[in-house]
Amino acid sequence: IIEDDLDLQMLIQLKFKGEPRLKFCGTATSAIDGIELVRSTDCKVLILDHFIDGQVMGLAAAPLIKAVKPDIKIILFTSHDLAVEASRENAIDAYLQKKDLNKLLPTVLRLLGMDSPAK
């Protein structure tokens, strides 16, 4: 998770807690720290906010992250309407607004080819 709102980081982690097939890799609050996190772990999916700490925003960070780990799936998860911008950025695999938090887990599972939650 690359998100500078620590409360939202925790909320996202809680949403995923009941899914035993997923392993949490870590959090970062900036693109630079996020790129290092991706480089040093075996993450398969990244939840990326657009407005994060530092000078590099989420949309600009996505291709940098894919350069480090081309197979990672990136979900742009933001409170702003960036659907058009996200669709134009090839490094973004999915886009959700934060108001759609309940769609986050199903989106991650879909991107990983695990379409339904574990029972």
Side-chain angles (χ1 to χ4, degrees), residues 7 63 66 88:
D7 290 336
K66 287 273 186 163
R88 291 180 180 153

Side-chain angles (χ1 to χ4, degrees), residues 21-64:
R21 297 175 291 176
L22 299 178
K23 178 182 137 199
F24 182 68
C25 294
T27 61
T29 59
S30 71
I32 300 303
D33 291 343
I35 290 168
E36 198 49 47
L37 175 69
V38 167
R39 181 178 282 125
S40 65
T41 64
D42 188 30
C43 338
K44 305 272 190 266
V45 175
L46 177 67
I47 299 166
L48 174 64
D49 186 15
H50 177 66
F51 292 100
I52 50 179
D53 289 344
Q55 295 184 9
V56 181
M57 296 293 100
L59 276 169
L64 302 173

Side-chain angles (χ1 to χ4, degrees), residues 80-118:
H80 295 80
D81 184 0
L82 297 174
V84 171
E85 294 85 348
S87 70
R88 291 180 180 153
E89 176 50 66
N90 292 332
I92 301 294
D93 297 289
Y95 162 79
L96 288 172
Q97 285 190 297
K98 290 179 180 176
K99 67 180 181 178
D100 296 322
L101 179 63
N102 288 333
K103 294 179 182 178
L104 193 55
L105 178 58
T107 300
V108 167
L109 293 174
R110 178 179 55 80
L111 289 174
L112 292 172
M114 303 174 186
D115 291 292
S116 59

Side-chain angles (χ1 to χ4, degrees), residues 62-74:
L64 302 173
I65 293 163
K66 287 273 186 163
V68 169
K69 191 167 280 189
D71 293 339
I72 196 167
K73 302 296 183 186
I74 299 175

